[in-house]
Amino acid sequence: ALRSPSVGTRVLIAIAALLALGLLIHGPIAQWASYHHFADQREWLGLPHAADVLSNLPFALIGAWALGARRDAPPHDSSLAWTVFAAALVATAAGSSLYHWAPDNASLAFDRLPIAWACAALTCAFLAERVDARWGSPHALGVALLAASASVALWWWSEQAGRSDLRPYLFVQFLPMLLVPAALLMQLPRRFASAAPDAAWWGVLAGYAIAKALEVADHAVFDALGVVSGHTLKHLAAAGAAWWLVAARHRATRGPVSCGSPR
């Protein structure tokens, strides 16, 4: 028999619906014309936009480490989602490096696709650990990844049609950033001891917020510091947030963690 959704689940569904409704009411959100013009245009050893390209290396290292660590970890409801998240980090390093090597809309699609996958996998992992094991199933994860891929495809189609619209992609990217703090504030408990602890999720949210602020302040940071741009630091902040989360999840799988009453 189907179980009725808990109050917490209904709140999360309402948040997702309100985000979708808000984007729908807002209307098309176009990618700004100067999007591909990053502050740091310097070459290094013949490598164009070297700082923005090379600052993606930490994503590959963190993702590869996480994939290796996953092989030795005991399986849980969210295991598959965490594995996909780790693989998406490696793909993000490749896609973002390709994009920053030669920034344009074509290479940007290969940058955004693995980011959308990472957001989808992270959402499934969190929901499997806090709401319902079924979110970690191959079926749920497959649907989430398909939706994430479609969001990038829809943006690409809108660019080709001359009416740029980022709304589907923004929905995929920002949904976990709304669901995670809502669930933490509602004190939805971990369903098993090896689930990522609250501090890990708050840390990744803080890192994401810092990364987005640095992205917006790309030119301002470069003008102020002269040696590094906001976008380069954005990559490092986002990679640091990913490391904080996967390392905390790995520690949780290795040692006993009390999961008594909701924190």
Side-chain angles (χ1 to χ4, degrees):
L2 292 175
R3 294 173 301 189
S4 358
S6 66
V7 173
T9 300
R10 290 196 292 269
V11 169
L12 298 183
I13 292 172
I15 289 172
L18 286 173
L19 175 60
L21 181 61
L23 290 171
L24 181 64
I25 294 173
H26 182 282
I29 300 175
Q31 180 171 281
W32 54 94
S34 61
Y35 185 88
H36 304 303
H37 182 68
F38 297 97
D40 193 347
Q41 299 288 318
R42 295 174 297 176
E43 294 186 5
W44 182 66
L45 299 178
L47 178 65
H49 319 118
D52 284 345
V53 171
L54 295 175
S55 56
N56 286 289
L57 181 60
F59 288 113
L61 297 176
I62 294 164
W65 176 84
L67 285 171
R70 291 297 317 141
R71 288 201 300 267
D72 302 324
H76 288 291
D77 297 335
S78 60
S79 294
L80 180 59
W82 283 111
T83 299
V84 172
F85 176 68
L89 289 178
V90 177
T92 294
S96 185
S97 295
L98 174 67
Y99 168 60
H100 284 288
W101 184 293
D104 59 21
N105 281 339
S107 57
L108 182 56
F110 290 99
D111 180 12
R112 284 180 169 161
L113 192 58
I115 294 173
W117 292 340
C119 292
L122 205 58
T123 301
C124 287
F126 181 80
L127 294 176
E129 293 183 353
R130 302 285 177 144
V131 178
D132 192 312
R134 289 174 291 184
W135 281 104
S137 69
H139 174 74
L141 188 59
V143 171
L145 292 173
L146 183 62
S149 302
S151 75
V152 177
L154 287 169
W155 160 74
W156 170 253
W157 174 83
S158 74
E159 291 288 345
Q160 297 301 103
R163 44 178 183 270
S164 177
D165 192 357
L166 283 164
R167 286 179 296 171
Y169 177 69
L170 293 177
F171 177 84
V172 169
Q173 189 178 54
F174 285 107
L175 182 61
M177 304 309 147
L178 295 177
L179 296 186
V180 171
L184 295 177
L185 290 172
M186 287 189 292
Q187 297 186 318
L188 296 186
R190 289 179 287 170
R191 297 181 50 255
F192 44 88
S194 61
D198 289 14
W201 292 106
W202 284 120
V204 79
L205 289 168
Y208 181 82
I210 292 169
K212 295 305 290 184
L214 289 167
E215 180 182 29
V216 172
D218 181 30
H219 288 266
V221 171
F222 191 63
D223 291 343
L225 300 180
V227 294
V228 65
S229 71
H231 203 89
T232 297
L233 292 176
K234 171 229 176 176
H235 289 162
L236 299 179
W243 168 253
W244 173 272
L245 182 61
V246 298
R249 175 68 169 79
H250 180 66
R251 287 193 299 270
T253 64
R254 290 299 177 182
V257 179
S258 174
C259 280
S261 58
R263 297 168 310 287

